[in-house]
C-alpha cells in the first residue's frame, strides 16, 4: 500500500472505508487533518470539494480524494494526492502512564 507523510501526519492508501463513518465538519481553513499545538500551523486540504474527511466513533479517520488536491502546511512541502481512499494514522508519544497523539 502507498503511504504519504507530511511531518506528523501519515496517510495510508486503503481499498475501502468502513460504512460507519461520519463527515468531519470543515472550517474556513479547509479540511484540517492535524492542528499545531504551539505554532497555530495545521495540515490541511483546501476546501474545494476535492477531498472529504470522515471519522468513526472510535476516532479512526479516513480521507476520500475525488480529484487531485494538495495537502498543505506552512512548514512542509505540499504533497499532491490523486483520487483515492486513505486512512489517517497518528503518531503517539509514551509519557509513562499516558500515551498521547503527537502534535506540531
Amino acid at each position: 500500500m502507498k503511504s504519504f507523510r507530511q511531518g506528523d501526519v501519515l496517510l495510508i492508501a486503503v481499498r475501502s472505508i468502513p460504512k460507519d463513518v461520519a463527515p468531519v465538519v470543515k472550517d474556513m481553513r479547509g479540511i484540517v487533518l492535524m492542528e499545531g499545538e504551539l505554532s497555530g500551523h495545521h495540515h490541511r486540504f483546501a476546501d474545494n470539494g476535492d477531498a472529504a474527511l470522515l471519522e468513526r466513533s472510535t476516532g479512526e479517520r479516513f480521507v476520500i480524494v475525488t480529484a487531485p488536491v494538495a495537502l498543505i502546511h506552512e512548514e512542509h512541502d505540499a504533497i499532491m494526492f490523486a483520487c483515492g481512499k486513505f486512512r489517517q494514522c497518528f503518531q503517539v508519544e509514551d509519557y509513562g502512564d499516558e500515551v498521547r497523539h503527537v502534535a506540531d
Side-chain angles (χ1 to χ4, degrees):
M1 288 289 180
K2 195 166 190 171
S3 64
F4 301 87
R5 179 175 295 280
Q6 186 187 65
D8 52 2
V9 169
L10 174 63
L11 294 170
I12 298 175
V14 295
R15 290 192 176 98
S16 63
I17 292 176
K19 296 191 185 312
D20 62 337
V21 294
V24 174
V25 177
K26 304 172 195 175
D27 64 25
M28 64 182 192
R29 301 169 297 173
I31 299 164
V32 177
L33 300 182
M34 175 101 34
E35 298 273 356
E37 279 186 338
L38 301 175
S39 67
H41 298 157
H42 42 280
H43 302 270
R44 68 198 177 282
F45 290 107
D47 184 14
N48 57 7
D50 295 335
L53 179 59
L54 309 165
E55 187 172 54
R56 297 177 90 181
S57 61
T58 61
E60 192 175 16
R61 296 174 94 183
F62 298 89
V63 174
I64 296 176
V65 175
T66 57
V69 65
L71 178 63
I72 53 179
H73 184 277
E74 292 83 351
E75 297 176 335
H76 301 285
D77 291 335
I79 300 173
M80 286 303 297
F81 279 76
C83 297
K85 299 172 186 164
F86 305 89
R87 180 171 58 94
Q88 182 178 358
C89 301
F90 294 96
Q91 184 176 343
V92 295
E93 298 173 309
D94 184 354
Y95 282 94
D97 292 338
E98 181 183 3
V99 176
R100 57 186 173 188
H101 288 174
V102 172
D104 279 344

